[in-house]
């Protein structure tokens, strides 16, 4: 800022010098060529010269055309009118520049109650929280038990509050680093729209009730998973972002836990179906985040974050492609675990092949265009894959009938063996 101010000061002094020379030359020419009318002409120029000495900001210098013929009285008057109009425009522009300088100064931000909901929504990353709640809801819906609306609402509310708490604490820790990035420089804590104390109080007011709802209103296993996820996101993933590229794998585990929480909220146990849903979310995050970070390499480097796209660009592209292909394998495992019918891997194959194709393009081209296409594809790929998985889910009654048949056959076999 000091350099810019110094350059502007030098430019201003140079322009002021040129204009004084211009006025002096005009006065000399007029005094030589229009001596009989010097009294009538010189007075406006004297007034204009005094006016120019009072001006401190020069905006535009018009080129001077050489004059070879004596100036007429009308031409002199026209020049005086033009210079007076230029002086009037300078008067109108100077306050605007003064206001812009005032806007650049540091001011105390006053929090208004009307702006508080929007600020807290940005502090809690409301879009990311909505994604977390939707994946937890998918895990709850895929569980092989009857649907319980009350338990579903409590689990969704508790998961959302836990996500708000984790995101708020994450922004609290990353204020000095977010201020260096274009992507995060407008966050509430960076701009001073909310105090750090209020942000911590908001995080506590979300985290404590959220974990209490999951533990007491759902089951202790789901509450423990929620508390562990807050710890993993704030105390492991957040500091690791400036230490090692392993933060991407830790962040993928954080994103894989919400569907597991939804499954455990419905069943009360950690089954193979919960691990499969977590695996799908785990693999989906690599093409999603690696494609996103590829276009933000300059920003992450400026913020001091250690990301694969910055330090290991080749590994970033390979990992994204591997996990695109892993989604095909995980979709095939679902019917083997008796979670979906065999129509799920068949219907999901085209969308998994398409994201794998874009992952290959990203691996081969390594440019912003391919990374952008892969990122936007990941936005609709996950909800569509989960929707197809839900429509191909095996019904609870079919599993009960199958279990009863297996029990009856086992009982008959025992009767045959008995003497």
């Amino acid at each position: 800022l000091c350099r810019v101010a110094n350059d502007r000061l030098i430019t201003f002094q140079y322009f002021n010098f040129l204009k004084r020379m211009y006025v002096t030359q005009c006065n000399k020419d007029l005094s030589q060529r229009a001596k009989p009318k010097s009294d009538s002409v010189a007075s406006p120029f004297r007034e204009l010269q005094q006016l120019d000495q009072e001006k401190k900001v020069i905006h535009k210098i018009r080129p001077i055309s050489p004059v070879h013929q004596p100036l007429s009285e009308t031409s002199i008057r026209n020049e005086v009118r033009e210079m007076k109009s230029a002086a009037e425009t300078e008067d109108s522009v100077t306050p605007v520049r003064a206001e812009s300088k005032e806007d650049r100064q540091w001011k105390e931000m006053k929090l208004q109650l009307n702006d508080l909901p929007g600020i807290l929504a940005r502090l809690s990353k409301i879009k990311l929280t909505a994604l977390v709640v939707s994946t937890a809801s998918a895990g709850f819906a895929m569980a092989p038990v009857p649907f319980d609306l009350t338990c579903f609402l409590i689990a969704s509310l508790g998961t959302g509050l836990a996500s708000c708490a984790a995101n708020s604490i994450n922004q609290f820790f990353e204020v000095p680093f977010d201020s260096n990035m274009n992507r995060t420089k407008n966050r509430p804590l960076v701009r001073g729209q909310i105090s750090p104390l209020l942000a911590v109080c908001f995080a506590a007011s979300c985290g404590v009730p959220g974990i209490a709802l999951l533990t007491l209103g759902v089951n202790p296993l789901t509450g423990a998973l929620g508390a562990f996820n807050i710890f993993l996101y704030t105390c492991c993933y957040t500091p690791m972002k400036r230490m090692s590229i392993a933060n991407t794998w830790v962040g993928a585990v954080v994103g894989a836990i919400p569907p597991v929480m939804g499954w455990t909220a419905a069943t009360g146990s950690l089954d193979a179906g919960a691990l499969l849903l977590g695996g799908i979310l785990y693999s989906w995050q690599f093409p999603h985040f690696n494609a996103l970070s590829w276009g933000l390499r300059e920003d992450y480097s400026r913020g001091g974050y250690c990301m694969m796209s910055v330090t290991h660009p080749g590994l970033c592209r390979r990992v994204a492609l591997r996990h695109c292909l892993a989604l095909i394998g995980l979709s095939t495992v679902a019917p083997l675990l008796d979670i979906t019918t065999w129509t799920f891997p068949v219907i999901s194959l085209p969308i998994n092949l398409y994201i794998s194709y874009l992952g290959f393009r990203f691996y081969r081209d390594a440019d912003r265009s391919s990374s952008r296409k892969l990122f936007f594809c990941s936005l609709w790929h996950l909800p569509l894959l989960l929707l197809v998985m839900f429509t191909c889910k095996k019904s609870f009654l079919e599993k009960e009938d199958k279990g009863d048949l297996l029990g009856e056959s086992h009982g008959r076999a025992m009767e045959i063996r008995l003497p």
Side-chain angles (χ1 to χ4, degrees):
L1 289 175
C2 293
R3 291 178 182 175
V4 172
N6 191 18
D7 294 342
R8 289 182 177 177
L9 180 61
I10 293 172
T11 306
F12 151 72
Q13 291 175 351
Y14 177 68
F15 283 169
N16 198 9
F17 171 75
L18 288 178
K19 188 164 185 181
R20 285 200 299 270
M21 294 292 294
Y22 166 70
V23 173
T24 304
Q25 186 66 29
C26 288
N27 286 333
K28 287 182 181 179
D29 292 341
L30 291 174
S31 61
Q32 292 176 1
R33 297 171 183 171
K35 286 183 180 179
K37 300 177 183 180
S38 60
D39 294 333
S40 61
V41 175
S43 57
F45 275 95
R46 288 197 190 105
E47 293 178 1
L48 185 60
Q49 187 175 8
Q50 293 176 359
L51 182 64
D52 290 335
Q53 290 177 357
E54 295 176 358
K55 300 297 175 188
K56 294 185 178 180
V57 180
I58 306 301
H59 297 282
K60 187 176 180 181
I61 301 297
R62 293 183 174 84
I64 307 172
S65 58
V67 181
H68 300 287
Q69 299 178 358
L71 296 174
S72 62
E73 186 177 357
T74 57
S75 63
I76 295 172
R77 288 178 181 174
N78 290 336
E79 280 194 17
V80 173
R81 288 173 187 169
E82 288 181 1
M83 297 185 70
K84 283 186 177 180
S85 64
E88 290 176 358
T89 55
E90 287 173 3
D91 288 336
S92 62
V93 173
T94 303
V96 176
R97 287 208 168 186
E99 290 178 2
S100 63
K101 288 182 179 179
E102 290 179 0
D103 293 339
R104 293 172 188 165
Q105 301 296 327
W106 289 100
K107 294 181 180 179
E108 182 182 0
M109 301 291 292
K110 294 183 179 180
L111 179 62
Q112 297 181 359
L113 292 178
N114 296 333
D115 300 332
L116 188 58
I119 292 173
L120 295 179
R122 285 186 285 127
L123 180 67
S124 59
K125 301 179 184 178
I126 195 65
K127 294 181 180 179
L128 180 59
T129 298
L131 177 63
V132 169
V133 174
S134 64
T135 55
S137 303
F140 192 97
M142 287 301 301
V145 293
F147 185 79
D148 186 354
L149 180 60
T150 304
C151 183
F152 171 76
L153 294 176
I154 295 174
S156 299
L157 180 60
T159 304
L161 290 174
S163 177
C164 290
N167 292 328
S168 302
I169 297 172
N170 170 261
Q171 289 197 36
F172 171 76
F173 284 145
E174 293 184 341
V175 170
F177 310 100
D178 288 344
S179 60
N180 296 324
M181 297 176 60
N182 293 327
R183 177 171 169 261
T184 56
K185 66 182 180 181
N186 290 323
R187 286 180 172 175
L189 283 171
V190 177
R191 296 188 61 190
Q193 293 176 328
I194 189 174
S195 66
L197 178 61
L198 186 56
V200 172
C201 292
F202 173 73
S205 63
C206 289
V208 175
I211 300 302
L213 278 175
L214 293 174
T215 304
L216 303 177
V218 183
N219 54 61
L221 178 59
T222 307
L225 286 173
F228 173 71
N229 214 21
I230 293 176
F231 169 78
L232 194 64
Y233 186 68
T234 57
C235 299
C236 297
Y237 170 72
T238 299
M240 282 184 68
K241 288 168 69 175
R242 295 179 298 277
M243 297 167 58
S244 171
I245 61 172
N247 69 83
T248 307
W249 282 267
V250 177
V253 173
V254 173
I257 289 178
V260 178
M261 293 172 60
W263 184 285
T264 58
T267 63
S269 60
L270 197 60
D271 304 324
L275 298 179
L276 176 65
L277 287 170
I280 291 175
L281 262 295
Y282 178 82
S283 290
W284 172 83
Q285 287 177 90
F286 285 97
H288 172 76
F289 180 74
N290 288 13
L292 172 66
S293 64
W294 190 265
L296 299 172
R297 286 177 293 173
E298 296 84 0
D299 242 11
Y300 280 123
S301 179
R302 194 183 303 115
Y305 292 113
C306 189
M307 297 295 175
M308 271 193 293
S309 59
V310 178
T311 59
H312 300 77
L315 180 64
C316 176
R317 303 195 308 272
R318 289 195 301 272
V319 169
L321 177 59
R322 287 173 193 165
H323 285 275
C324 286
L325 298 173
L327 290 171
I328 301 175
L330 291 170
S331 300
T332 309
V333 173
L336 296 175
L337 296 177
D338 208 25
I339 299 171
T340 64
T341 61
W342 280 100
T343 55
F344 170 65
V346 175
I347 298 175
S348 64
L349 185 61
I351 59 176
N352 287 333
L353 285 176
Y354 182 67
I355 196 172
S356 300
Y357 166 71
L358 293 179
F360 174 73
R361 289 280 303 272
F362 174 56
Y363 169 75
R364 184 189 64 184
D365 300 338
D367 56 1
R368 289 182 181 271
S369 176
S370 59
S371 65
R372 194 179 299 112
K373 289 179 181 178
L374 179 59
F375 171 73
F376 284 113
C377 175
S378 66
L379 294 179
W380 59 260
H381 175 272
L382 180 65
L384 185 59
L385 183 66
L386 293 177
L387 181 61
V388 172
M389 192 176 190
F390 178 72
T391 56
C392 299
K393 170 190 172 183
K394 278 193 175 180
S395 66
F396 175 67
L397 295 176
E398 288 181 3
K399 292 186 177 181
E400 267 194 341
D401 294 340
K402 187 177 179 181
D404 293 340
L405 290 174
L406 289 174
E408 288 179 2
S409 62
H410 181 69
R412 288 175 184 174
M414 290 295 293
E415 288 177 1
I416 292 172
R417 289 178 185 174
L418 290 175

